[in-house]
Amino acid sequence: VQLQASGGGLVQPGGSLRLSCAAYGFVFEDYAVGWFRQAPGKEREGVACIQHSGGDTTYADSVKGRFTISRDNQKTSWYLQMNSLKPEDTSVYYCAVSRTWIGCDKIAYWGQGTQVTVSS
């Protein structure tokens, strides 16, 4: 199994970024996938999760209304559109594959992190 994340970078407050993660080596459409983040000195936290069919999504309260998770089962990929970014969104973002078809409480696979820095 391989996960390849991309799309991080430096952006000004109020700006937008789109993270992508491509997965290989398993039956992608059978599993929920998500995004997590970890800032220096803090624990890793869940940001967003999307169930296997893409019909249900969940978000951390801190990103609701600003971030949108989506997936393309044909491309075995998923995405995190991040709008209205704030300095407190600065973190390393990780894509992840759940062990089940719904929910991201238990993770089977992690991608490499991609740095997102929000600063003027």
Side-chain angles (χ1 to χ4, degrees):
V1 174
Q2 286 187 322
L3 306 182
Q4 296 179 356
S6 61
L10 173 64
V11 64
Q12 291 187 343
S16 298
L17 280 176
R18 187 183 190 228
L19 304 183
S20 300
C21 193
Y24 309 94
F26 65 102
V27 183
F28 180 76
E29 60 264 29
D30 285 353
Y31 298 93
V33 293
W35 291 93
F36 291 72
R37 67 186 182 186
Q38 186 169 19
K42 294 187 177 181
E43 293 187 355
R44 188 173 297 186
E45 63 172 346
V47 175
C49 183
I50 186 167
Q51 71 164 322
H52 71 115
S53 66
D56 186 47
T57 57
T58 57
Y59 296 93
D61 288 343
S62 58
V63 306
K64 281 181 181 177
R66 301 188 297 122
F67 290 10
T68 302
I69 188 172
S70 61
R71 65 187 291 161
D72 185 334
N73 286 350
Q74 295 298 315
K75 295 182 178 179
T76 65
S77 297
W78 64 110
Y79 312 95
L80 186 67
Q81 178 66 44
M82 304 185 293
N83 299 329
S84 302
L85 282 161
K86 304 175 181 179
E88 51 264 42
D89 294 318
T90 296
S91 282
V92 177
Y93 284 72
Y94 298 89
C95 57
V97 178
S98 174
R99 295 184 183 181
T100 67
W101 61 276
I102 186 169
C104 293
D105 295 337
K106 296 181 179 180
I107 298 300
Y109 306 108
W110 294 96
Q112 88 280 10
T114 184
Q115 178 70 46
V116 172
T117 302
V118 185
S119 175
S120 56

